[in-house]
Amino acid sequence: MKFCVCIKQVPDVQASVQTGRMVLNAYDASAVEEALVINEGTDDPVDLVLIGSASATETIRKALAMGASEATHLVAEGEGLDSHAVAALLAAHFEGHAYDVILTGKQSQDTDAGLAGSMLAERLGLPYATNAVGLRAEGDTLVVTRQGDAGQEILALKTPCLVTCSNDMNNPRIPALKGIMAAKRKQIDTRSITPPGPRTRVTTTLEPPGREPGVKLEGEAADMVAELVRRLDAEANVL
Amino acid sequence: MSSILCLLSVQDGRIKRSSLEAMSHANTLARAEGWSLEAVLLGSKAADLAETAGRHGADRVLVIKDPVFDSHLNAPLLAGLEAVVKAASPRLVVAASTESVKDVLGALAVRCDAAVLPDVASFSVQGERIVCERPVMAAKKLARTESSHPLVFVSVRSGSYEVKEAQGAGTVVDVPFQFDAATLGLTLREIVKSAGDTVDLSEARVVVAAGRGVRDASGKALVDELASITGAAIGASRAVVETGLFPATAQIGQTGKVVSPDLYFAVGISGAVQHTAGMANSRVIVAINKDPDAPIFDLATYGLVGDCFTILPLLNAELKKVMASR
Ligand SMILES: Cc1cc2nc3c(=O)[nH]c(=O)nc-3n(C[C@H](O)[C@H](O)[C@H](O)COP(=O)(O)OP(=O)(O)OC[C@H]3O[C@@H](n4cnc5c(N)ncnc54)[C@H](O)[C@@H]3O)c2cc1C
């Protein structure tokens, strides 16, 4: 199947201090991995498209090093790219490119919005599934297992279609040296774009409300347990 | 007159608590603005639940009594919600941030030409603007975000507001709806429920969550016992969902669910930001971890430093005694 994966460069949220290190969105990495696994042993491409600043090239190279075929880099600098704007830009990109399956991460690690995928599907008029934890090709049908509220739903989607992927789907491969070298020679089609006006705007970023400092109990297990149960009952009133 | 439209999610024949939480706050805002409050219920039992919506402030309850909504499938849900939003033409659409809502929110916004503020911890109306605060960067930061678009959708994290009863007229309005399944492009083949989900995680007052420290089936048995003594739902970190010890529906955190119970037990969980993103708003947090430097202790109301295989049997016995005396 012809795949295209929409990827994003995000700040590394794992870092305990703000290092400014940028990484490939973990959910997108799972999407790339899954497409590569499905297409293994075939000549079908796994292409990439990224919207972001010029410095996001390193993230594209990383996904190419995993084994993706070609990439388009739509360069947009600065703030003001909300999900609405991203979906509009991606929809314009896909007008000129036909794929069997478009994959995105289920959300980005930095904003956790989780909107761009289904917005894009709607703009392109494609059937879609979100929060996928498993994918399988069956002829020209894509079988998707998605994590729902109360269990897993198994869906059959006619291609062309769009799926947003969870990181519970797989563990993305770490590119090997051979892949990294090959990625340097792969083509990145770079174009500047002007995003449409966003519909939402971040005005300030605040610290989340702190928690009251707690009590740490150490020592004999039996003493800790007795003290905990006493406090849960008399102090916290939660039993 | 403007209005706020609340999408109510139904599970096991009841309106989800998180939906009523979001609607309770929407009711407060609607009264302050002099707007009406409307609710949406979809599915074969929709009309039976209208009374509950009325008891939580709904002036009108828009229903589509169609069994197509009884199991989740995004294409018919989108068509149904589009019909309802167009019938009500509200200023603001409010929903609980469930997986079903997340599945359709973006597509529905495109279809209805709306702006979206997803997964918010709070929201308000400030003149022409809808303003919210939403956790970002794995909940390490809170972004104040706003939109002045004429139609705004807001999805609300569970536990953000209290459920408050308020009498509304609750007038039931049937919304015409027709749907051609042949045009779908997708079909639901099967729903796989995980065994042993006795209490719904996002609704539970007590959650017992297990991490890698719980290790194996014998550790899981201790966790199950603690949950049954305290009437808790069982949660898990990604580490033990990956190993298959716990089902994916139990995962709490950035990838998994958001919970904010009165009491949260974190057993053998280190407290990675991607986990705490889903539980940091719990009222009382008990952490049991053998590493005194585990980051989970920074959040814990009560931290117990020690081996969960030693602590849990004692804790279960002690709690059993306390519960029996009630
Ligand atoms: C994009 C992304 C999304 C993610 N989403 C989620 C998510 O939704 N939910 C989630 O949980 N994780 C998520 N993760 C993974 C997260 O980063 C951590 O890897 C995970 O939470 C670790 O789980 P843990 O605390 O059980 O395991 P560990 O970090 O390995 O911690 C195990 C803890 O158990 C303690 N321990 C060991 N033995 C014992 C014992 N006998 N008694 C007591 N304590 C013991 C150890 O001291 C340690 O602190 C995500 C990661 C990424 C990259």
Side-chain angles (χ1 to χ4, degrees), chain A residues 11-18 27 30 83-84 87 106-115 118-120 122-123 127-131 133 136 138 141 143 146-159 166-171 199-209 211-219 221-222 224-226 228-229 231-233 235-239, chain B residues 11 16 72-74 78 98-100 102-107 109-111 113-119 133-149 184-194 197 238 242 248-249 251 254-255 257 262-263 265 273-274 280-286 292 297 299-306 310-311 314-315 318-319 322-323 326:
Chain A
D12 183 2
V13 297
Q14 201 125 7
S16 51
V17 269
Q18 229 53 341
Y27 301 98
S30 284
S83 312
H84 166 75
K106 76 160 176 141
Q107 64 201 51
S108 12
Q109 273 167 280
D110 52 348
T111 65
D112 281 338
L115 296 168
S118 74
M119 283 180 161
L120 175 60
E122 178 64 22
R123 281 179 179 272
Y128 72 92
T130 62
N131 202 12
V133 294
R136 190 161 50 80
E138 220 176 64
T141 298
V143 180
R146 80 176 286 271
Q147 189 64 50
D149 283 303
Q152 295 188 334
E153 295 149 18
I154 300 175
L155 303 158
L157 273 73
K158 266 203 220 111
T159 56
S166 169
N167 60 337
D168 287 345
M169 193 174 241
N170 53 43
N171 287 313
R199 288 186 176 176
T200 58
R201 200 165 67 88
V202 175
T203 51
T204 35
T205 305
L206 315 160
E207 292 302 316
R211 288 184 69 86
E212 296 274 311
V215 182
K216 206 194 244 174
L217 304 171
E218 287 178 75
M224 285 192 286
V225 164
L228 173 68
V229 173
R231 284 176 182 262
L232 286 177
D233 195 20
E235 188 176 80
N237 229 334
V238 281
L239 292 183
Chain B
Q11 197 173 313
K16 288 196 97 164
H72 173 79
L73 194 60
N74 58 29
L78 266 171
T98 62
E99 282 309 332
S100 304
K102 287 181 188 178
D103 192 27
V104 296
L105 200 59
V110 170
R111 219 174 260 199
D113 199 18
V116 194
L117 300 170
D119 229 34
E133 283 178 5
R134 50 186 313 277
V136 295
M137 300 295 288
K140 284 206 267 189
K141 299 278 175 196
L142 210 49
R144 185 168 295 152
T145 311
E146 60 175 48
S147 178
S148 350
H149 202 72
L184 273 189
L186 83 169
T187 49
L188 178 63
R189 282 203 182 159
E190 197 185 334
I191 299 176
V192 186
K193 300 233 174 189
S194 42
D197 284 344
R238 178 150 193 258
E242 253 188 323
T249 38
Q251 184 169 184
Q254 192 177 19
T255 295
K257 290 183 172 144
D262 289 334
L263 178 57
F265 289 93
V273 283
Q274 294 92 347
N281 284 331
S282 305
R283 188 161 78 77
V284 174
I285 297 172
V286 175
F297 286 124
L299 295 181
T301 323
Y302 305 116
L304 275 66
V305 182
T310 316
I311 291 173
L314 296 169
L315 180 60
E318 195 68 22
L319 284 173
V322 175
M323 293 312 198
R326 291 293 144 93

Side-chain angles (χ1 to χ4, degrees), chain A:
Chain A
M1 286 189 171
K2 275 188 80 177
F3 277 90
C4 186
V5 187
C6 308
I7 62 172
K8 183 181 176 186
Q9 174 171 278
V10 296
D12 183 2
V13 297
Q14 201 125 7
S16 51
V17 269
Q18 229 53 341
T19 56
R21 197 169 93 92
M22 301 297 280
V23 295
L24 170 61
N25 182 34
Y27 301 98
D28 304 347
S30 284
V32 172
E33 174 66 31
E34 200 70 9
L36 290 172
V37 168
I38 291 177
N39 275 358
E40 211 162 79
T42 73
D43 292 331
D44 293 343
V46 176
D47 289 345
L48 306 170
V49 55
L50 176 143
I51 299 175
S53 65
S55 62
T57 315
E58 59 175 303
T59 288
I60 297 178
R61 292 276 175 218
K62 157 133 201 250
L64 287 172
M66 288 173 71
S69 321
E70 300 184 352
T72 303
H73 184 174
L74 303 173
V75 181
E77 300 290 343
E79 306 277 303
L81 270 174
D82 68 350
S83 312
H84 166 75
V86 165
L89 291 168
L90 287 174
H93 171 74
F94 286 109
E95 297 290 315
H97 297 79
Y99 289 95
D100 298 314
V101 183
I102 298 172
L103 297 182
T104 73
K106 76 160 176 141
Q107 64 201 51
S108 12
Q109 273 167 280
D110 52 348
T111 65
D112 281 338
L115 296 168
S118 74
M119 283 180 161
L120 175 60
E122 178 64 22
R123 281 179 179 272
L124 297 174
L126 296 177
Y128 72 92
T130 62
N131 202 12
V133 294
L135 285 188
R136 190 161 50 80
E138 220 176 64
D140 60 359
T141 298
L142 193 68
V143 180
V144 180
T145 305
R146 80 176 286 271
Q147 189 64 50
D149 283 303
Q152 295 188 334
E153 295 149 18
I154 300 175
L155 303 158
L157 273 73
K158 266 203 220 111
T159 56
C161 63
L162 182 147
V163 178
T164 82
C165 302
S166 169
N167 60 337
D168 287 345
M169 193 174 241
N170 53 43
N171 287 313
R173 67 194 69 186
I174 310 290
L177 187 61
K178 190 162 155 246
I180 295 169
M181 297 312 288
K184 294 204 168 121
R185 293 187 304 273
K186 286 180 184 168
Q187 197 186 330
I188 301 179
D189 179 9
T190 305
R191 312 157 181 227
S192 295
I193 44 159
T194 312
R199 288 186 176 176
T200 58
R201 200 165 67 88
V202 175
T203 51
T204 35
T205 305
L206 315 160
E207 292 302 316
R211 288 184 69 86
E212 296 274 311
V215 182
K216 206 194 244 174
L217 304 171
E218 287 178 75
E220 283 300 314
D223 299 340
M224 285 192 286
V225 164
E227 181 66 5
L228 173 68
V229 173
R230 190 188 68 72
R231 284 176 182 262
L232 286 177
D233 195 20
E235 188 176 80
N237 229 334
V238 281
L239 292 183

Side-chain angles (χ1 to χ4, degrees), chain B:
Chain B
M1 183 170 52
S2 278
S3 66
I4 303 180
L5 182 68
C6 297
L7 313 181
L8 303 179
S9 299
V10 175
Q11 197 173 313
D12 302 328
R14 289 184 311 110
I15 299 174
K16 288 196 97 164
R17 192 180 74 210
S18 50
S19 294
L20 294 177
E21 291 167 359
M23 181 150 100
S24 298
H25 182 62
N27 183 50
T28 307
L29 296 181
R31 300 308 152 206
E33 299 292 323
W35 296 353
S36 71
L37 185 73
E38 326 225 301
V40 180
L41 282 162
L42 306 179
S44 49
K45 300 260 161 53
D48 307 348
L49 295 167
E51 190 268 332
T52 311
R55 232 182 328 108
H56 292 86
D59 298 308
R60 292 202 306 164
V61 186
L62 285 68
V63 300
I64 303 178
K65 284 173 273 183
D66 194 313
V68 73
F69 302 116
D70 291 350
S71 42
H72 173 79
L73 194 60
N74 58 29
L77 184 58
L78 266 171
L81 291 176
E82 179 189 13
V84 172
V85 171
K86 290 191 170 153
S89 48
R91 168 73 185 93
L92 184 60
V93 176
V94 173
S97 196
T98 62
E99 282 309 332
S100 304
V101 165
K102 287 181 188 178
D103 192 27
V104 296
L105 200 59
L108 186 66
V110 170
R111 219 174 260 199
C112 300
D113 199 18
V116 194
L117 300 170
D119 229 34
V120 307
S122 68
F123 66 104
S124 61
V125 180
Q126 296 182 10
E128 295 304 301
R129 296 169 303 141
I130 307 297
V131 180
C132 74
E133 283 178 5
R134 50 186 313 277
V136 295
M137 300 295 288
K140 284 206 267 189
K141 299 278 175 196
L142 210 49
R144 185 168 295 152
T145 311
E146 60 175 48
S147 178
S148 350
H149 202 72
L151 174 59
V152 177
F153 293 176
V154 173
S155 67
V156 187
R157 287 159 71 96
S158 71
S160 299
Y161 293 102
E162 292 289 320
V163 175
K164 277 188 256 157
E165 296 211 351
Q167 200 53 52
T171 311
V172 176
V173 179
D174 279 292
V175 176
F177 176 71
Q178 257 177 359
F179 187 73
D180 181 4
T183 61
L184 273 189
L186 83 169
T187 49
L188 178 63
R189 282 203 182 159
E190 197 185 334
I191 299 176
V192 186
K193 300 233 174 189
S194 42
D197 284 344
T198 42
V199 188
D200 186 339
L201 201 49
S202 53
E203 311 249 302
R205 287 293 176 201
V206 183
V207 170
V208 177
R212 202 190 303 277
V214 166
R215 217 156 60 210
D216 55 17
S218 66
K220 183 170 185 292
L222 291 169
V223 164
D224 287 346
E225 191 186 5
L226 175 58
S228 100
I229 296 165
T230 52
I234 294 175
S237 75
R238 178 150 193 258
V240 284
V241 169
E242 253 188 323
T243 62
L245 194 57
F246 289 85
T249 38
Q251 184 169 184
I252 291 169
Q254 192 177 19
T255 295
K257 290 183 172 144
V258 174
V259 300
S260 52
D262 289 334
L263 178 57
Y264 188 93
F265 289 93
V267 184
I269 291 178
S270 61
V273 283
Q274 294 92 347
H275 182 79
T276 60
M279 50 66 75
N281 284 331
S282 305
R283 188 161 78 77
V284 174
I285 297 172
V286 175
I288 301 172
N289 197 304
K290 67 179 183 188
D291 172 8
D293 297 325
I296 191 71
F297 286 124
D298 298 341
L299 295 181
T301 323
Y302 305 116
L304 275 66
V305 182
D307 189 329
C308 61
F309 285 86
T310 316
I311 291 173
L312 284 187
L314 296 169
L315 180 60
N316 289 346
E318 195 68 22
L319 284 173
K320 224 184 261 170
K321 268 191 268 167
V322 175
M323 293 312 198
S325 69
R326 291 293 144 93

